[in-house]
């Protein structure tokens, strides 16, 4: 199966080419079949690769497809690296991707851009697979940029709406800032190690001293890239705006796969990070700050997708926290469980929006329990999972992260728990406001309420099952489980393992779990009191808010800050450059030369008669003369 | 180069020429017969047994007709043109392998007048200069209908030559030779090229129709709009030359199509029953002619079934359909030949 | 407009499907149609050797009948000329002389009786108009000629011979029903 | 022997037809003479054992390029009457210029050293296998570049030939 | 039948090609009809082609013939564009006389 790895990204690419070229002439059914089928086939192959890899002793296989770039010293093969980490990501991407494809056939069925949507989705899957499969940083970068492009295309999918286009542009430009860091990091890696293949780089890095400043620089630059892609503070503002895209896109790209590329990258470069403690600390601090910061914003949002978006930012912060404290397995574990329950939540939200004919404001919902039973159950399961309720998947992964954080730094742990409490609160706030109570929308909406079609509910159910049981691959030893995932991923993080000493006693772990569950339960109860018992509703637009609430509701005015501090001075500066330097100095030189030539040629042009015969005649005479000089 | 060799080649050439003319002659008869049958009529059946002498009667009629040369025409070119047409039509027969070789008194005599190693290119070259006869004739008549017909003929032939050439290139890629004799020899048994190149064969046949100016591509001479097109002003035997050239072209086209795509003189399974070389060669000639006759019949069958194209449709078909298709065929052929290399890139 | 038959098909200009745009299947089915005609029995009749049976009411060259005694029936009343829509019939009447009773049945007869066969449309109105049962259309064909004036048939061609074997049989056109019908003078037609 | 005579014959025809191209009044005749001239040159190619090139020459020049010329001349309906004439003085000066060019070139030939390598005669270099190998091995890049040239020419011709350019 | 290079000295080919080339030049100078001038240029190209083939045969080097190949490609491209230009010129000036095309001055 591993031999067929070339097909994994190729199939979605073929799907993209077919749908992209002939999409308009094909029927929606065929487009859906091609779109889903190519991803399903990739999933099947990925599954085969996964099982073949588990059975193998050698856990890292490099497949050379062809020689790609050869210039001077630089020789970059186009090759794929199959190891536990990439095979796990393959499964997540193709598996969740397939479910979301199926979901999209239902969700987008009435959209005129149906085939375009599927072409983009397939292209996205292709680039994402390239990102995780590449055996060097350049292929990863190609995939990285490719998914950025697809993200841009899909956020601005309904391009007739200017606001959506602006959101797409924002996402694109913010990502570019991060990508610049990433690119510089790659260049620095090449300069330092003379290669950008993972194998060479890590082998050389292993022998470097801890705290090497070059490594710190590299890791920090790479982390800037990760900040952009994975929406960390301060480059997170694009992700909430990215919710402008269709909901499956939010689920696939902006929750389950693309935003975890940063985690993947850091996890992939774990050796480099392990060897630079400063970078590790930066990652951890930024991670926990993002987790808290986004969670506070999430408390006050009223748009169902915005809440989930901030929740995603927050959860990504958790993952970075995990990376920062050296719990790479925990981060990957959380990536996996998060992919399940966040995709589930987004798709559930999509189902709700579908039922509400496009309404996204939770103040207009409520009482949907009766009308959308399947969505309701699955959404509840997803909420429990993200809240960290045992034994749902989120509990295990979050617990592992928190345990590692506790081990590393008590303050980080405390902030993490605080974030978890807020997560529970806002998620249940969302759940209660949406599904409990009375319906608050208009009459037409009420009349229109219906459960979504099979193609949408089946993925929901599958994802719900995964969200429930997904955590069992990583039951910690304290609970008598065997951490399968850790075993599986061990070869990847082998070299960094000296940082990951498990010194926590089982008692401490029990205590931590207990605290987490207690906090979760308390938060849940508080949310229940506020939104179910007291039936409090979020304030409507224009109502007076408390200053703190206002601060959170307005997302700390970060967007406005960026606008005033960065964008406006930059515009001013460019204006000055344009008016002074470009118009006066550069144009002056160019125009001066032009005027000089005009003046000279004005004199010379009288030699031209315009009679072609004359020219030919002169030419022949010239040839004769030249030949004469040759002979004599 | 012995004298005997020269005589043998001369005899062969003369036989080919005679047979070509004979078949062209009887093609006129066959055309009328086929047209009649397809239209629930009987066709000519008065001159001789089943009208078998009809071509002779036609020839006599054409010879007896009054010869007219328009006073405003360019007389030299007017007279040369039909001859040129007939000449180019007859020139193609020399590279077609009519059979394997006969062994008489221990000497082997090939049934191909000459096996050029660039036979296909020779065919192509002769076909490409075939347009001069029509163009010169149309221009020399100094008649607007003739000129229009000539222009149509030339642009049509140039357009369809491209698709024809590209489809032939795909054939050359699979056969790996430019020699017509070798192509015919390669197709022994069931190895007919149509099985390898079905799309190329289709394109070639369509282009052959266009190159011979046969319906549904007979725009250069369509009777309704152009009153006969390039031969409006021609009468008597000069007119006959043009008609003859058309039928010879049809015969040669059928022969070429049979040789290129339908196995030429080969017939599957015949090697099991017949072992005598000479008999086999003669049978080969018979088979080839059977195929050719079917080809000629097919030409007629199409003519009396399918209505004529409009001129823009003709150009659209040539440039927008056949040329892309033939390029696709070329690419597919190349991809098929390189399939192992391509697959090995993705599957290690 | 109401369709005359339900076989008519309304032409719809719609986008052709891919299958239709390939054309080859359509061409192939067309070729099959012509091929099926190739093997059909040909309806051709080899004319001079074979002839088609005429219908009973075929209207060919006219004949001027004589009665059983061999006298011409025509009295040159001119009704046929009046009835003729193509104005193909002309005649000159003459009085029967004594001694000519054998030749002409009544006192008046046509001295000249000419039908221009190029004008005649073989409608048969003349035989309907004739009160004397003198003119009939027969199943004989009008021969081709090379000069126009030869198509003006005079009495020499039109009148049947006296001899038994030269008589033209018109019993098919002079059926008892027709005779019976003609007796009824109250009909406008027969007046 | 026969080759020598053929060479003389073909050379004579080539020069004669070439002159007729220049001298004939009617453009159509010019085109037809040029076609004949090209046939004689194809004959020369055959004499030089370049059969493949000879056939390609016939296909490309006689079969395509000259047909295009003929086509254009017919389309523009150019004939003897519309033919522009040059003044006799200009013609004379043209003849003198061309004559002097011939003179100078022949004079330069006189000084050139002659090639004596008949003994390395290889009748196979004109074969298609040989040419193909050279073309696709040594001249692969120029070959590909020429395809771009042809594409550019095609696009250019289509653009120029359009009825109206807006 | 011998090949030409065994019996004909190369000088004859040089001479023949020179003469053909000069005829082409003469045509360009002599005529005012743009199409005839164009044809004269084709004649010059063919003179060079013939010379290249002659050299190729005499030196037993197939590169010369490959060059002829390229010249043919260039000639085809040139004719396509050139004739299109001539058509445009004719359409605009109703003449194929090159002396009409004297707008390209000052």
């Amino acid at each position: 199966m591993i031999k067929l790895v070339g097909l994994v990204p190729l199939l979605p690419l073929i799907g993209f080419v077919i749908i992209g070229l002939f999409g308009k002439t094909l029927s929606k059914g065929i487009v859906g079949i091609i779109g889903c089928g190519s991803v399903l086939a990739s999933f099947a192959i990925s599954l085969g690769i996964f099982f073949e890899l588990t059975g193998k002793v050698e856990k890292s296989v490099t497949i050379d497809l062809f020689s790609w770039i050869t210039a001077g010293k630089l020789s970059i093969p186009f090759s794929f690296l199959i190891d536990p980490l990439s095979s796990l990501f393959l499964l997540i991407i193709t598996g969740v991707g397939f479910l979301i494809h199926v979901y999209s056939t239902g969700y987008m069925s009435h959209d005129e851009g149906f085939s375009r949507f599927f072409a983009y989705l397939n292209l996205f899957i292709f680039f994402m697979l390239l990102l995780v499969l590449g055996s060097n940083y350049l292929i990863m970068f190609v995939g990285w940029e490719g998914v950025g492009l697809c993200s841009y295309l899909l956020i601005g999918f309904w391009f007739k709406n200017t606001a959506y286009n602006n959101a797409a542009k924002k996402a694109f430009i913010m990502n570019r800032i991060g990508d610049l860091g990433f690119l510089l990091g790659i260049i620095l890696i090449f300069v330092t190690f003379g290669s950008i293949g993972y194998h060479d780089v890590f082998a050389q890095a292993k022998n470097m001293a801890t705290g090497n400043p070059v490594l710190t620089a590299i890791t920090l630059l790479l982390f800037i890239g990760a900040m952009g892609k994975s929406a960390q503070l301060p480059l997170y503002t694009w992700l909430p705006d990215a919710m402008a895209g269709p909901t499956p896109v939010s689920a696939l790209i902006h929750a389950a796969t693309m935003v975890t590329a940063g985690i993947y990258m850091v996890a992939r470069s774990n050796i480099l990070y392990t060897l630079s403690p400063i970078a590790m600390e930066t990652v951890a601090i930024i991670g926990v700050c993002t987790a808290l910061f986004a969670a506070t914003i999430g408390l006050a949002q009223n748009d169902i997708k915005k809440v989930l978006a901030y929740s995603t930012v927050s959860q990504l912060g958790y993952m970075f926290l995990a990376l920062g404290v050296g719990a790479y397995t925990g981060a990957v574990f959380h990536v996996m469980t998060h992919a399940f329950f966040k995709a589930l939540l987004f798709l559930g939200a999509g189902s709700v929006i579908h039922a509400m004919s496009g309404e996204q404001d939770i103040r207009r919902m409520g009482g949907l329990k009766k009308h959308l039973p399947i969505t309701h159950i699955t959404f509840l399961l997803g909420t429990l999972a993200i809240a960290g309720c045992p034994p749902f998947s989120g509990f295990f992964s979050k617990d592992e992260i928190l345990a590692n954080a506790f081990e590393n730094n008590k303050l980080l742990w405390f902030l993490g728990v605080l974030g978890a409490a807020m997560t529970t609160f806002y998620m249940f706030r969302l759940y209660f406001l949406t599904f409990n109570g009375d319906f608050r929308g208009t009459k037409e909406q009420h009349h229109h309420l219906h459960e979504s079609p099979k193609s949408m509910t089946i993925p929901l159910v599958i994802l719900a099952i995964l969200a429930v049981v997904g955590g069992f691959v990583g039951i910690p030893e304290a609970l008598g489980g065997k951490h399968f995932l850790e075993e599986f991923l061990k070869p990847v993080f082998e070299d960094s393992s000296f940082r990951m000493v498990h010194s926590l006693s089982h008692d401490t772990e029990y205590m931590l779990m207990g605290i987490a569950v207690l906090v979760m339960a308390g938060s849940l109860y508080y949310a229940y009191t506020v939104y179910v018992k007291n039936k409090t509703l979020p304030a409507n637009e224009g109502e007076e808010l408390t200053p703190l609430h206002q601060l959170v509701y307005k997302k700390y005015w970060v967007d406005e800050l960026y606008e005033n501090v960065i964008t406006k001075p930059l515009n001013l500066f460019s204006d000055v450059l344009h008016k002074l330097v470009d118009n006066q100095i550069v144009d002056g030189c160019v125009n001066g030369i032009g005027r000089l030539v005009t003046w000279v040629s004005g004199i010379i042009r009288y030699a031209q008669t315009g009679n072609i015969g004359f020219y030919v005649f002169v030419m022949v005479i010239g040839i004769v003369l030249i030949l004469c000089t040759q002979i004599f | 180069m012995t004298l005997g060799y020269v005589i043998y080649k001369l005899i062969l050439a003369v036989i080919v020429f005679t047979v070509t003319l004979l078949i062209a002659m009887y093609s006129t008869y066959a055309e009328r017969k086929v047209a009649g049958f397809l239209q629930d009529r009987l066709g000519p059946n008065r001159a001789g047994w089943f009208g078998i002498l009809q071509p002779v009667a036609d020839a006599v009629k054409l010879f007896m007709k009054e010869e007219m040369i328009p006073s405003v025409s360019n007389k030299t070119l007017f007279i040369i043109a039909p001859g040129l047409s007939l000449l180019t039509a007859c020139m193609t027969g020399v590279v077609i392998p009519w059979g394997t070789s006969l062994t008489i008194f221990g000497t082997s005599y090939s049934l191909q007048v000459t096996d050029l190693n660039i036979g296909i290119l020779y065919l192509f070259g002769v076909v490409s200069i075939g347009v001069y006869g029509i163009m010169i004739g149309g221009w020399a008549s100094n008649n607007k209908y003739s000129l229009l017909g000539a222009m149509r003929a030339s642009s049509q032939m140039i357009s369809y030559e491209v698709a024809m050439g590209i489809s032939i290139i795909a054939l050359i890629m699979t056969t790996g030779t430019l020699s017509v004799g070798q192509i015919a020899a390669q197709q022994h048994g069931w190895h007919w090229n149509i099985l390898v190149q079905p799309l190329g064969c289709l394109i070639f046949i369509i282009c052959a129709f266009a190159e011979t100016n046969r319906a549904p591509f007979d725009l250069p001479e369509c009777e309704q709009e152009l009153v006969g097109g390039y031969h409006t002003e021609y009468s008597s035997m000069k007119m006959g030359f043009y008609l003859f050239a058309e039928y010879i072209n049809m015969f040669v086209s059928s022969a070429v199509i049979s040789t290129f795509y339908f196995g030429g003189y080969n017939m599957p399974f015949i090697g099991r029953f017949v072992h005598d070389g000479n008999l086999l060669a003669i049978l080969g000639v018979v088979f080839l002619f059977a195929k050719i006759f079917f080809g000629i019949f097919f030409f007629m069958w199409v003519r009396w079934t399918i209505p004529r194209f409009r001129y823009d449709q003709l150009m659209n078909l040539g440039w927008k359909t056949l040329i892309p298709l033939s390029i696709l065929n070329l690419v597919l052929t190349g991809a098929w030949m390189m399939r192992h290399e391509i697959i090995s890139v993705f599957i290690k | 407009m109401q369709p005359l038959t339900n076989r008519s098909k309304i032409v719809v200009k719609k986008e052709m499907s891919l299958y239709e745009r390939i054309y080859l299947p359509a061409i192939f089915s067309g070729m099959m149609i012509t091929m099926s005609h190739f093997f059909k029995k040909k309806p051709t009749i080899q004319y001079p050797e074979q002839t088609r049976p005429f219908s009973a009411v075929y209207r060919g060259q006219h004949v001027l009948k004589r009665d059983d005694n061999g006298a011409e029936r025509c009295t040159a009343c001119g009704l046929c000329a009046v009835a003729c829509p193509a104005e193909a019939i002309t005649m000159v009447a003459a009085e029967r002389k004594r001694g000519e009773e054998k030749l002409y049945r009544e006192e008046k007869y046509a001295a000249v009786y000419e039908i221009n066969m190029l004008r005649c449309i073989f409608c048969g109105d003349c035989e309907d108009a004739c009160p004397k049962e003198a003119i009939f259309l027969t199943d004989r064909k009008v021969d081709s000629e090379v000069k126009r004036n030869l198509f003006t048939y005079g009495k020499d061609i039109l009148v049947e011979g006296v001899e038994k074997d030269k008589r033209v049989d018109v019993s098919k056109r002079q059926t008892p029903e027709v005779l019976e019908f003609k007796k009824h003078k109250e009909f406008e037609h027969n007046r | 022997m026969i080759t020598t005579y053929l060479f003389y014959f073909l050379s004579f025809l080539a020069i004669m037809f070439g002159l007729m191209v220049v001298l004939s009044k009617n453009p159509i005749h010019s085109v037809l003479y040029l076609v004949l001239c090209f046939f004689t040159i194809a004959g020369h190619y055959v004499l030089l054992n370049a059969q493949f090139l000879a056939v390609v020459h016939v296909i490309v020049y006689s079969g395509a390029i000259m047909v295009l010329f003929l086509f254009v001349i017919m389309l523009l309906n150019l004939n003897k009457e519309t033919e522009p004439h040059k003044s006799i003085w200009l013609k004379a000066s043209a003849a003198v210029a061309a004559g002097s060019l011939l003179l100078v070139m022949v004079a330069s030939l006189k000084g050139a050293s002659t090639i004596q390598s008949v003994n390395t005669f290889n009748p196979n270099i004109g074969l298609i296998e040989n040419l193909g190998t050279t073309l696709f091995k040594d001249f692969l890049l120029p070959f590909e570049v020429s395809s771009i040239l042809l594409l550019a020419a095609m696009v250019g011709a289509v653009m120029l030939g359009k009825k109206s350019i807006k | 039948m011998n090949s030409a290079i065994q019996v004909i000295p190369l000088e004859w080919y040089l001479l023949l090609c020179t003469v053909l080339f000069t005829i082409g030049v003469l045509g360009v100078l002599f005529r005012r009809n743009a199409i005839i001038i164009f044809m004269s240029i084709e004649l010059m190209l063919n003179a060079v082609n013939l010379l290249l083939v002659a050299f190729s045969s005499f030196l037993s080097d197939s590169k010369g013939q490959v060059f002829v190949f390229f010249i043919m490609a260039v000639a085809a491209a040139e004719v396509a564009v050139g004739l299109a230009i001539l058509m445009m010129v004719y359409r605009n000036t109703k003449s194929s006389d090159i002396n009409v095309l004297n707008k390209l001055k000052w």
Side-chain angles (χ1 to χ4, degrees), chain A residues 155-177:
Chain A
I155 294 170
F157 182 73
W158 288 308
F159 52 80
K160 283 172 187 158
N161 185 326
T162 319
Y164 293 178
N165 276 341
N166 285 340
K169 272 189 272 178
K170 187 174 177 183
F172 199 65
I173 290 164
M174 282 243 163
N175 267 311
R176 290 292 78 67
I177 298 171

Side-chain angles (χ1 to χ4, degrees), chain D:
Chain D
M1 252 354 249
I2 208 167
T3 313
T4 321
Y5 288 130
L6 262 177
F7 172 79
Y8 288 136
F9 182 59
L10 285 175
S11 303
F12 168 71
L13 284 184
I15 292 171
M16 191 186 81
F17 288 141
L19 277 174
M20 292 305 285
V21 172
V22 176
L23 297 178
S24 57
K25 292 271 192 302
N26 194 328
I28 293 273
H29 288 176
S30 281
V31 173
L32 296 178
Y33 281 125
L34 192 58
V35 174
L36 290 175
C37 182
F38 283 166
F39 273 115
T40 60
I41 289 177
H44 276 298
Y45 288 167
V46 174
L47 283 188
L48 286 164
N49 271 44
Q51 298 93 338
F52 174 68
L53 217 54
V55 176
V56 171
H57 178 88
V58 169
I59 294 175
V60 173
Y61 277 102
S62 311
I65 293 182
M66 295 322 291
V67 175
L68 268 185
F69 272 108
L70 207 57
F71 193 79
V72 168
I73 290 179
M74 287 183 182
L75 209 62
L76 303 187
N77 201 13
L78 301 178
N79 45 35
K80 224 184 289 183
E81 289 78 44
T82 58
E83 179 69 13
H85 289 291
K86 274 194 171 176
S87 70
I88 190 78
W89 282 109
L90 276 174
K91 280 186 178 174
S93 61
V96 168
S100 57
L101 181 70
L102 179 66
L103 199 70
V104 171
M105 283 206 291
V106 171
S108 65
L109 287 184
K110 206 81 174 132
S113 59
T114 51
I115 303 166
Q116 302 286 354
S117 57
V118 184
N119 43 358
T120 61
F121 168 65
N122 176 6
N124 291 328
I125 60 156
L127 291 187
I128 182 162
E129 291 89 354
N130 220 314
L131 280 180
T133 316
T134 316
L135 188 60
F136 292 120
K137 277 210 173 127
D138 303 347
F139 292 89
L140 185 59
L141 184 68
F143 180 76
E144 297 293 343
V145 171
S146 69
S147 71
I148 297 173
L149 173 80
L150 285 172
L151 180 68
M154 193 167 81
V155 174
V158 170
M159 278 310 295
L160 285 168
K162 273 170 124 178
K163 264 274 170 324
S164 60
I165 295 170
K166 296 241 167 82

Side-chain angles (χ1 to χ4, degrees), chain B residues 27 56 59 64 90 107 114 121 211 220 223 259 267 311 313 334 340:
Chain B
S27 291
V56 182
M64 306 296 279
C90 288
T107 322
T114 164
L121 285 178
E211 294 283 319
E223 294 86 354
T259 313
M267 200 66 192
Y311 199 65
Q313 290 170 334
H340 299 301

Side-chain angles (χ1 to χ4, degrees), chain A residues 287-302:
Chain A
V288 79
C289 287
T290 311
L292 261 181
F293 188 77
T296 52
I297 299 176
L299 290 175
Q301 294 304 310
N302 293 326

Side-chain angles (χ1 to χ4, degrees), chain A residues 2-54:
Chain A
I2 287 181
K3 286 196 170 67
L4 293 177
V5 70
L7 288 178
V8 175
L10 189 68
L11 286 170
L13 182 65
I14 292 171
F16 159 69
V17 170
I18 293 172
I19 300 173
L21 289 180
F22 310 110
K24 286 206 173 145
T25 52
L26 298 175
S27 73
K28 283 189 176 174
I30 294 175
V31 168
I33 288 167
I34 294 173
C36 298
S38 59
V39 182
L40 181 63
S42 288
F43 178 63
I45 298 171
S46 307
L47 214 56
I49 291 171
F50 179 77
F51 285 120
E52 191 172 335
L53 202 68
T54 41

Side-chain angles (χ1 to χ4, degrees), chain A residues 144-205:
Chain A
W144 190 273
E145 294 297 316
V147 291
L149 169 73
C150 294
S151 164
Y152 166 75
L153 292 173
L154 283 164
I155 294 170
F157 182 73
W158 288 308
F159 52 80
K160 283 172 187 158
N161 185 326
T162 319
Y164 293 178
N165 276 341
N166 285 340
K169 272 189 272 178
K170 187 174 177 183
F172 199 65
I173 290 164
M174 282 243 163
N175 267 311
R176 290 292 78 67
I177 298 171
D179 293 348
L180 180 66
F182 187 27
L183 192 59
L184 287 175
I186 294 174
I187 293 168
L188 198 54
I189 287 173
F190 179 69
V191 171
T192 314
F193 299 105
S195 164
I196 54 171
Y198 299 146
H199 212 268
D200 304 337
V201 173
F202 299 155
Q204 290 183 45

Side-chain angles (χ1 to χ4, degrees), chain A residues 230-505:
Chain A
S230 295
Q232 293 300 296
L233 221 52
L235 297 179
Y236 74 96
T237 54
W238 66 269
L239 186 58
D241 286 9
M243 296 304 132
T247 307
V249 171
S250 309
L252 179 62
I253 302 188
H254 306 117
T257 53
M258 184 189 85
V259 289
T260 61
I263 308 335
Y264 171 79
M265 192 252 281
V266 176
R268 171 63 75 202
S269 329
N270 58 76
I271 301 166
L272 305 180
Y273 280 90
T274 310
L275 290 174
S276 45
I278 301 172
M280 288 287 267
E281 270 168 40
T282 317
V283 172
I285 290 166
I286 287 188
V288 79
C289 287
T290 311
L292 261 181
F293 188 77
T296 52
I297 299 176
L299 290 175
Q301 294 304 310
N302 293 326
D303 184 319
I304 186 168
K305 284 179 76 180
K306 280 274 162 72
V307 175
L308 291 176
Y310 280 107
S311 152
T312 305
V313 175
S314 170
Q315 297 301 314
L316 289 167
Y318 272 109
M319 295 172 206
F320 276 102
L321 170 63
L323 293 172
V325 298
Y328 300 114
T329 316
V332 175
F333 188 20
H334 201 56
V335 165
M336 192 181 93
T337 55
H338 179 252
F340 296 150
F341 57 67
K342 190 48 68 64
L344 167 62
L345 288 170
F346 264 115
L347 296 188
S351 179
V352 169
I353 295 166
H354 196 70
M356 294 288 292
S357 335
E359 179 61 62
Q360 301 198 1
D361 195 329
I362 51 175
R363 287 173 298 198
R364 310 259 174 281
M365 299 175 186
L368 297 181
K369 200 153 49 170
K370 296 189 287 287
H371 305 286
L372 307 169
I374 300 176
T375 311
H376 164 244
I377 304 267
T378 52
F379 199 89
L380 176 62
L381 290 175
T383 312
L384 285 170
I386 193 174
C389 176
F392 296 105
S393 56
F395 169 71
F396 297 106
S397 56
K398 207 178 274 184
D399 175 64
E400 189 175 341
I401 293 172
L402 289 177
N404 278 289
F406 183 79
E407 192 180 350
N408 197 282
N409 189 327
K410 305 286 182 291
L411 181 65
L412 290 179
W413 172 79
F414 175 71
L415 293 175
V417 171
L418 197 62
M422 282 192 264
T423 308
T424 312
F425 180 76
Y426 66 68
M427 281 315 297
F428 274 97
R429 170 179 177 267
L430 180 67
Y431 165 72
F432 288 139
L433 285 176
T434 310
F435 289 99
N436 279 22
D438 305 319
F439 187 70
R440 297 183 290 276
T442 59
K443 268 207 164 154
E444 293 100 80
Q445 284 173 336
H446 189 75
H447 186 68
H448 182 254
L449 282 179
H450 62 280
E451 182 58 281
S452 304
K454 280 257 164 51
S455 59
M456 284 164 73
T457 51
I458 289 173
L460 282 179
V461 172
I462 296 174
L463 280 171
I465 293 167
L466 285 172
V468 172
V469 303
F472 295 136
V473 297
I475 301 172
E477 281 172 48
L479 291 180
K482 237 180 117 186
H483 206 313
F484 295 112
L485 195 66
E486 190 163 353
E487 285 297 314
F488 181 62
L489 287 175
K490 204 165 224 166
V492 183
F493 304 128
E494 212 161 32
D495 299 321
S496 317
S497 56
F498 63 92
R499 281 269 309 223
M500 300 191 289
V501 269
H502 275 280
S503 60
L504 284 184
S505 67

